[in-house]
């Protein structure tokens, strides 16, 4: 095609490769854990430790998201997923928090996977940008996670 630029595939970014390595380590660690109760307790400790490592803005938002998700939908089990705090329903990640710093983005993300029941007709949102977690945002997150597990 005349005048078109050729583009070359650059592969995964360093951040994407790091996230994939984290996921592999998470899976290996989960496979070595003991009883289901031990697995759940250790998985939550891992999530809280990952949140504690975040920079101030991301950490504050992640702490509030964690509190809202675990309160509004206690059936969701905290776990790490590609190095991010995530919440699983029957072993499948339903929602996750992605810090802005994780992929050098200008905002954090609250995302939902297909295990979340957010269906609204033929099209619905599965990710939300977060720059701050206000009382209003907390209420919206609570409503979304309740719907996700309904």
């Amino acid at each position: 095609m005349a005048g078109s630029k050729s583009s070359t595939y650059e592969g995964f970014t360093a951040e994407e490769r790091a996230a994939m390595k984290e996921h592999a380590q998470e899976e290996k660690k989960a496979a070595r854990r003991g009883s289901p109760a031990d697995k759940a307790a250790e998985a939550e400790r891992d999530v809280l430790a990952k949140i504690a490592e975040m920079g101030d803005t991301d950490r504050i938002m992640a702490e509030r998201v964690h509190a809202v998700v675990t309160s509004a939908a206690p059936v969701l089990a905290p776990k790490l997923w590609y190095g991010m705090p995530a919440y699983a329903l029957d072993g499948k990640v339903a929602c996750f928090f992605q810090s802005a710093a994780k992929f050098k983005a200008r905002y954090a993300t609250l995302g939902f996977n297909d295990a979340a029941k957010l269906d609204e007709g033929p099209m619905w949102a599965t990710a939300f940008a977060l720059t701050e977690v206000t009382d209003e945002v907390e209420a919206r997150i609570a409503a979304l996670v309740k719907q996700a597990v309904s």
Side-chain angles (χ1 to χ4, degrees):
M1 190 183 288
S4 69
K5 292 182 182 178
S6 75
S7 62
T8 58
Y9 176 67
E10 297 290 328
F12 294 108
T13 66
E15 294 82 12
E16 290 167 333
R17 284 191 301 277
M20 288 185 282
K21 286 179 183 177
E22 280 184 278
H23 182 62
Q25 290 170 347
E26 293 158 8
E27 292 298 310
K28 286 178 187 176
K29 187 175 182 181
R32 291 190 305 263
R33 291 182 174 153
S35 72
D38 291 342
K39 287 181 182 185
E42 194 168 335
E44 182 156 21
R45 282 192 300 274
D46 291 346
V47 167
L48 294 172
K50 183 59 74 174
I51 290 171
E53 292 173 5
M54 294 177 185
D56 289 345
T57 302
D58 284 332
R59 182 183 41 75
I60 290 165
M61 286 191 292
E63 287 171 345
R64 290 184 75 181
V65 167
H66 179 78
V68 171
V69 170
T70 56
S71 174
V75 68
L76 291 175
K79 67 180 281 180
L80 288 179
W81 186 63
Y82 293 95
M84 297 176 286
Y87 305 88
L89 180 63
D90 299 326
K92 295 181 180 178
V93 171
C95 64
F96 60 90
F97 175 85
Q98 181 178 298
S99 70
K102 179 88 176 166
F103 295 104
K104 299 178 183 168
R106 66 182 180 93
Y107 52 81
T109 303
L110 175 66
F112 292 86
N113 287 339
D114 60 346
K117 299 172 184 98
L118 297 180
D119 307 40
E120 286 183 15
M123 183 176 148
W124 57 90
T126 60
F128 300 84
L130 294 173
T131 58
E132 181 181 10
V133 179
T134 64
D135 291 344
E136 182 181 326
V137 170
E138 282 187 4
R140 180 70 174 127
I141 292 169
L144 285 167
V145 296
K146 286 176 184 176
Q147 181 181 348
V149 299
S150 64

